[in-house]
Amino acid sequence: MRIAQEKAERHTLAVLVDNEPGILARIAGLFTARGYNIESLTVSDVTADKAVSRITIVTSASAATMEQILAQLDRLIPVHSVTDLTALGPHVERELALVKVAGTGDKRIEAMRLAEVYRARVVDATISSFVFEVTGGRDKIDKFVELMSEVGLVEVARTGIVAIARGKDAA
């Protein structure tokens, strides 16, 4: 007898939580304890009084596993809501990266030309290097980093995915 494995799909989750010490560790621990991988994780407070934070989690799981993840997250006391933006429908995802590139002469000119194509902004410059700020989808940033590796990539820092549902309603 052979058991068919369900295909894992990428999901983006928006989790609203009380902004209290240890909540991020509890949520990450929930994933770790069950062997679920977190591909991206971002957190920020979203209310004026800083009482509520929004955690955006990107993970890959089968439909059945995703159902378990959502139920387990929803059971945590400090969690206000859990929304699977992927299942909800159209949503906007963005990421920010700082990309340091070193080079002189033609390599410097090529780095500037590529940055213009990708709408990357120079946020720091020296005689021999640049730091570019680029925002966009994961694929755009991956491609920008790949191209910069050919002209003198030194270092990359990425924020992780932030996402929000399209339309007038909150997720």
Side-chain angles (χ1 to χ4, degrees), residues 17-87:
V17 299
D18 288 335
N19 191 0
E20 62 183 40
I23 185 58
L24 183 58
R26 287 179 64 194
I27 288 175
L30 183 146
F31 278 78
T32 304
R34 289 156 183 85
Y36 308 143
N37 188 38
I38 296 175
E39 295 172 21
S40 174
L41 177 71
T42 57
V43 184
S44 183
D45 35 291
V46 291
T47 56
D49 63 0
K50 300 184 186 305
V52 177
S53 289
R54 179 185 177 114
I55 302 173
T56 305
I57 302 169
V58 178
T59 189
S60 291
S62 66
T65 302
M66 185 53 50
E67 213 172 284
Q68 284 182 334
I69 290 171
L70 295 171
Q72 290 164 358
L73 284 171
D74 208 28
R75 274 194 291 261
L76 293 175
I77 298 297
V79 172
H80 293 262
S81 68
V82 180
T83 305
D84 182 351
L85 294 171
T86 305

Side-chain angles (χ1 to χ4, degrees), residues 13 16 26 37 41 72 74 86 91 114 120 124 129 138:
L13 309 177
L16 290 178
R26 287 179 64 194
N37 188 38
L41 177 71
Q72 290 164 358
D74 208 28
T86 305
H91 61 281
L114 288 168
D124 185 57
S129 69
R138 191 171 58 170

Side-chain angles (χ1 to χ4, degrees), residues 103-125:
T104 57
D106 288 343
K107 291 205 179 233
R108 188 173 176 89
I109 292 167
E110 184 63 9
M112 288 299 291
R113 188 187 70 74
L114 288 168
E116 187 176 329
V117 169
Y118 280 82
R119 294 188 181 128
R121 199 167 62 99
V122 175
V123 293
D124 185 57

